[in-house]
Amino acid sequence: MQFIDLAAQQQPIRQKIEEKIRIVLDHGKYIMGPEINALEKRLAEFVGVKHCLGCASGTDALLMALVAEKVGPGDAVLTSPFTFIATAEVISLLGATPVFVDIDSETFNLDPDKLALAIKSLKSNDSSLHALPLTPNASRLTPRGIISVDLFGLPCDYDSINIIAQEYGLFVIEDAAQGLGGEYKGRKAGALADVGCTSFFPAKPLGAYGDGGAVFTDSDEMADKLASIRVHGQGEDKYNNVRIGLNARLDTLQAAILNAKLDIFPQEIDLRQDVAQRYTELLSPYAMLHPPCVPEGYKSVWAQYSLLTESPESRVHIQESLKKAGVPTAVYYPKPLHLQTAFAGLGYKKGDFPISEDTSNRIFSLPMHPYLKENEIERICAVFLASLHL
Ligand SMILES: *Cc1c(COP(=O)(O)O)cnc(C)c1O
């Protein structure tokens, strides 16, 4: 059994993928070939925004958005400590300061009440209200924006986050690396903030066969900036550079593969709902298992199906039992970002974000992909429940 079964996905579309790769080999436009524009058009339509720009990775998507917002030293960007490192890494890479805000214990996403509190304490330089970084320039940080993360495929509470951002004049970047295909109050993930960013890393809900990403926006001005930043800050032409940028293009070959995968993505989203629903049906009689919560009006794309165990020890035991039965599991994420060595310079300490810390100690994820069969789901749940000595 695979944790994410990319081979099962490839089988029915293998011929189509090979055909699309062959077309690229024939035309030879490996950089910014016609497949890129075709994919961008389809993705913009899928997400329901005016502009989509393909790029080299989800990390570059986030970096491009921050560069477009001219984020730099002295700026604070608020984000979750319970995410993949890339979300906060890009902030530090530009010399700005990540300011972490704890998550909601049910959705594992940024808690809007704590977000408002963090902005207030940042503005008044009062860390008694909310834990703040202890960098030498901490008292002079300017809050500039928010990176909200649609963790495990579930969108954040964007009505609340966008209102807070408006009140304080902050930009909002949606990290939809795991969220593409999810929905919030009838709108698609990627379209829920000023700029949406996603990843086509192979294991993401819409994955390529290598690295890739995309940026979404409704703003013409932002789209122009992002297009320039994607190619070395180019202006009118290649050798006219108007800003410092990146080499962050999406490969034509990856776009060709994604075009084939996008054809079946809507069906796969439905299949993911079915798998998650089956898990929840089989596990929800056991209240202590905390089946994942999807609030009214939200749709998760189920990048992961994650559960909280009663204790860190029971997680070890459950994962071992499942492993013995040939069921792979994973822990996303075993260490919150404020406790990572890479961010030691921010001066955060244990206890600053108790929900993220507790969740890191007890969470684990079951196999999740659109091609999990009913008998496999039943077996996974049976082994899992037996490991609890129920
Ligand atoms: C995967 C991921 C990224 C980074 O995407 P890459 O394509 O691997 O660079 C960023 N944020 C989150 C939440 C992710 O899961």
Side-chain angles (χ1 to χ4, degrees):
M1 189 184 297
Q2 301 289 315
F3 188 68
I4 295 175
D5 196 343
L6 294 177
Q9 178 197 49
Q10 188 186 76
Q11 198 228 325
I13 54 169
R14 172 82 184 221
Q15 238 181 331
K16 192 190 263 179
I17 289 173
E18 285 186 7
E19 177 57 24
K20 290 199 185 279
I21 290 175
R22 187 165 43 227
I23 292 170
V24 177
L25 296 181
D26 285 345
H27 71 52
K29 298 187 177 82
Y30 304 118
I31 300 293
M32 294 307 278
E35 284 78 5
I36 303 275
N37 195 252
L39 176 71
E40 289 174 340
K41 275 209 175 109
R42 292 178 70 193
L43 281 173
E45 196 172 317
F46 175 81
V47 166
V49 292
K50 222 166 144 187
H51 306 281
C52 166
L53 288 99
C55 64
S57 68
T59 308
D60 273 348
L62 294 164
L63 187 59
M64 283 164 58
L66 290 179
V67 171
E69 296 288 358
K70 290 200 164 75
V71 166
D75 291 341
V77 179
L78 298 108
T79 193
S80 166
F82 191 64
T83 175
F84 182 57
I85 182 127
T87 312
E89 180 182 32
V90 289
I91 302 168
S92 295
L93 204 56
L94 292 173
T97 304
V99 172
F100 293 121
V101 176
D102 213 352
I103 53 169
D104 177 272
S105 62
E106 296 288 321
T107 63
F108 310 125
N109 282 336
L110 216 52
D111 180 333
D113 292 336
K114 288 177 187 146
L115 177 65
L117 203 59
I119 300 167
K120 277 192 198 115
S121 48
L122 199 55
K123 289 207 150 228
S124 57
N125 189 29
D126 179 0
S127 59
S128 68
L129 286 173
H130 187 278
L132 292 176
L134 299 173
T135 50
N137 67 347
S139 61
R140 287 168 282 120
L141 289 174
T142 308
R144 289 286 318 284
I146 299 158
I147 304 182
S148 52
V149 184
D150 302 338
L151 202 75
F152 303 147
L154 181 72
C156 299
D157 176 0
Y158 281 98
D159 282 353
S160 304
I161 291 172
N162 287 330
I163 285 172
I164 293 165
Q166 247 166 33
E167 190 183 335
Y168 292 99
L170 308 179
F171 62 76
V172 182
I173 295 171
E174 176 185 3
D175 181 346
Q178 300 175 15
L180 193 70
E183 290 176 30
Y184 174 77
K185 302 191 179 176
R187 286 180 304 137
K188 287 262 178 34
L192 304 173
D194 299 317
V195 182
C197 298
T198 200
S199 163
F200 304 127
F201 183 82
K204 303 288 161 120
L206 180 62
Y209 288 155
D211 281 306
V215 190
F216 302 96
T217 185
D218 267 325
S219 154
D220 297 344
E221 198 193 334
M222 175 56 81
D224 284 347
K225 277 189 215 166
L226 291 166
S228 164
I229 291 161
R230 176 170 66 177
V231 191
H232 303 289
Q234 75 176 19
E236 303 289 292
D237 65 68
K238 202 168 162 181
Y239 299 110
N240 170 20
N241 308 93
V242 296
R243 54 169 64 77
I244 298 297
L246 308 163
N247 173 4
R249 292 171 296 232
L250 177 66
D251 285 352
T252 305
L253 275 170
Q254 296 304 338
I257 290 157
L258 286 163
N259 274 320
K261 288 216 193 177
L262 188 53
D263 290 346
I264 56 166
F265 190 47
Q267 289 122 266
E268 289 190 338
I269 294 171
D270 291 344
L271 290 171
R272 285 174 177 280
Q273 303 304 313
D274 296 344
V275 172
Q277 197 182 327
R278 257 329 259 151
Y279 270 142
T280 300
E281 274 165 14
L282 292 168
L283 300 176
S284 57
Y286 311 95
M288 78 287 238
L289 296 179
H290 291 280
C293 142
V294 179
E296 185 74 30
Y298 290 59
K299 179 176 177 179
S300 175
V301 71
W302 299 106
Q304 301 298 340
Y305 189 94
S306 305
L307 295 158
L308 284 174
T309 60
E310 295 221 283
S311 67
E313 296 73 34
S314 61
R315 177 170 72 183
V316 172
H317 172 70
I318 289 164
Q319 284 195 281
E320 269 172 12
S321 307
L322 285 162
K323 192 178 173 187
K324 263 187 219 142
V327 177
T329 59
V331 173
Y332 301 111
Y333 294 92
K335 194 191 257 192
L337 298 186
H338 67 288
L339 302 178
Q340 294 280 357
T341 308
F343 290 118
L346 297 174
Y348 285 112
K349 59 183 187 313
K350 219 172 179 164
D352 279 347
F353 305 105
I355 308 218
S356 295
E357 290 170 29
D358 176 50
T359 304
S360 292
N361 287 332
R362 295 194 290 125
I363 202 158
F364 82 105
S365 304
L366 293 175
M368 182 73 220
H369 61 83
Y371 305 98
L372 262 183
K373 295 190 208 71
E374 171 66 21
N375 63 342
E376 292 176 307
I377 300 170
E378 282 174 13
R379 189 166 78 82
I380 294 164
C381 291
V383 176
F384 175 36
L385 294 172
S387 77
L388 298 170
H389 311 292
L390 287 168

